[in-house]
Amino acid sequence: MTSEFFRQPLAWLDGALEILFPRECLVCTRPLRGHSLCFRCDPSCAICTDNRCQRCFNDLSEPATGICTTCLSFPLETNKLRFLWDYSDVPRDFIRTMKYRPSITLARLGGNLIGKALPSLFEDPSWDLIVPIPSSPSTLRKRLFHPCHEIARGLVESSTRFKIAPALVHASRRSPQASLSHQDRLKGLQKMFRVCRPGSIQGRRILLVEDVITTGATIAAASHVLLSCGALSVDAVALAQARVWSRFRARLHQAFSPFSRQLEQ
C-alpha cells in the first residue's frame, strides 16, 4: 500500500515531463511518448524464416534440398549466416540513422532484436564467444563507438549466457567499407583483419556480429582469419542483408580459395 502511494506521484510526474518535453523518434524525429521509435520507423518484424537456405539464409527455389545452388557452388567461409531484415525501406533507414547520425541506443535496440530472434534463426544458438566486427580507425574517430560492438551488447542483454570478445582489429589502414565501391571492397580481403589474442579463440565456436551485409566481404574476411587462427566454427548474424550480395558470391569464394592464396603469396 505504501509503495503504491509513492509510485503514483512519480508516474504523474513522468507523464507531465513527457508532455512538456516530448521524446522524439530516433529515426524520423517525430514527437512521441514512451518509446524510442514511432510505428513508422519500427522494423521489429523479422524476415520470414520459411524456405530459406540452411547456410546463407537466401530464398530456396527447391525447399526440399535445404541448401541453395549458390552455396553448393560457392561455399561460405562461415558455417551459417543469418539476418533479420532485407536492407530496404524501414530497416535501411534504421541502420543508416544508427551508423551515420550516429546512435548507440539504436545499435543496442538492434542487438536486442537479434537476441530475441536467435532461437528462430539458429537451430542451436550456442556459441563460446560473440565477436563483433570492428569499425575502421577512421570511422571510429567519427562515431566514437563501434556499432557492431553495441549491437553485440544489446544481443547479450537479451541472452545473458553469451560472452563478448573483441578479438578482431583492422590489420591495415583501409578506407571505410561504406566509402568503397563494391569492387574495391573485394580487394585485399585476406589482410583486412588480424586476431588480437589467437589463443583465446582456438577451439571456440564463434558468432560474428555485423550491422549490414552488402558484398559480404567483411564477414568473409573476418571468418577466414578466425578459422585460420584455430576457431572451431564461425557463424554470423547481421541486422540486414542487401540484395546485391548474391552477385559477389563467386568473387568471394575465389578470393579465399587455396589457389588464390598461393597466388598472393
Side-chain angles (χ1 to χ4, degrees):
M1 182 74 177
T2 305
S3 62
E4 185 65 30
F5 174 80
F6 285 107
R7 250 198 312 266
Q8 288 178 358
L10 290 175
W12 176 86
L13 180 60
D14 288 343
L17 288 174
E18 284 210 9
I19 292 173
L20 294 173
F21 306 101
R23 290 184 182 180
E24 292 182 340
C25 172
L26 291 177
V27 175
C28 70
T29 70
R30 290 186 180 93
L32 75 163
R33 295 179 58 189
H35 300 281
S36 298
L37 297 172
C38 70
F39 72 94
R40 298 179 183 87
C41 299
D42 187 352
S44 298
C45 184
I47 199 167
C48 178
T49 59
D50 295 335
N51 298 330
R52 291 190 170 271
C53 175
Q54 296 175 9
R55 294 290 305 277
C56 72
F57 210 49
N58 276 341
D59 290 321
L60 278 176
S61 55
E62 298 179 8
T65 62
I67 305 294
C68 69
T69 55
T70 306
C71 278
L72 292 175
S73 301
F74 311 111
L76 296 170
E77 292 287 307
T78 53
N79 182 37
K80 291 182 180 179
L81 186 150
R82 299 290 185 267
F83 51 92
L84 290 184
W85 314 307
D86 288 322
Y87 188 59
S88 61
D89 303 326
V90 174
R92 180 179 57 200
D93 293 340
F94 178 99
I95 293 171
R96 284 181 174 176
T97 303
M98 177 193 78
K99 294 177 68 173
Y100 303 118
R101 196 159 288 178
S103 172
I104 291 177
T105 303
L106 284 181
R108 295 275 185 88
L109 178 57
N112 290 158
L113 295 174
I114 289 177
K116 293 175 182 177
L118 282 182
S120 62
L121 295 175
F122 294 91
E123 294 177 1
D124 181 24
S126 59
W127 301 276
D128 300 309
L129 298 173
I130 307 295
V131 176
I133 299 288
S135 300
S136 67
S138 60
T139 301
L140 179 60
R141 286 193 293 270
K142 294 177 182 177
R143 295 180 186 152
L144 303 180
F145 73 98
H146 294 283
C148 294
H149 184 82
E150 298 303 328
I151 293 172
R153 292 183 67 179
L155 187 161
V156 170
E157 289 174 0
S158 298
S159 304
T160 55
R161 66 183 182 275
F162 299 128
K163 177 183 177 181
I164 300 174
L168 293 172
V169 294
H170 279 258
S172 60
R173 293 189 178 183
R174 179 183 172 95
S175 299
Q177 290 289 88
S179 67
L180 300 176
S181 68
H182 292 324
Q183 299 296 336
D184 287 339
R185 295 185 189 202
L186 301 177
K187 297 178 181 178
L189 294 184
Q190 295 177 36
K191 301 177 182 178
M192 184 185 296
F193 298 109
R194 64 179 176 85
V195 176
C196 300
R197 295 179 295 277
S200 65
I201 61 138
Q202 289 181 358
R204 302 297 186 92
R205 297 167 298 172
I206 291 173
L207 177 66
L208 270 177
V209 174
E210 173 68 299
D211 46 27
V212 58
I213 304 165
T214 47
T215 62
T218 303
I219 282 183
S223 300
H224 178 78
V225 72
L226 288 169
L227 291 169
S228 298
C229 289
L232 182 62
S233 65
V234 178
D235 293 325
V237 68
L239 288 175
Q241 182 207 75
R243 295 177 182 176
V244 71
W245 179 60
S246 59
R247 290 166 36 193
F248 295 92
R249 291 287 299 275
R251 291 283 304 278
L252 285 173
H253 178 69
Q254 181 182 17
F256 292 104
S257 67
F259 179 69
S260 297
R261 290 197 288 270
Q262 289 174 7
L263 289 181
E264 289 202 1
Q265 293 173 355

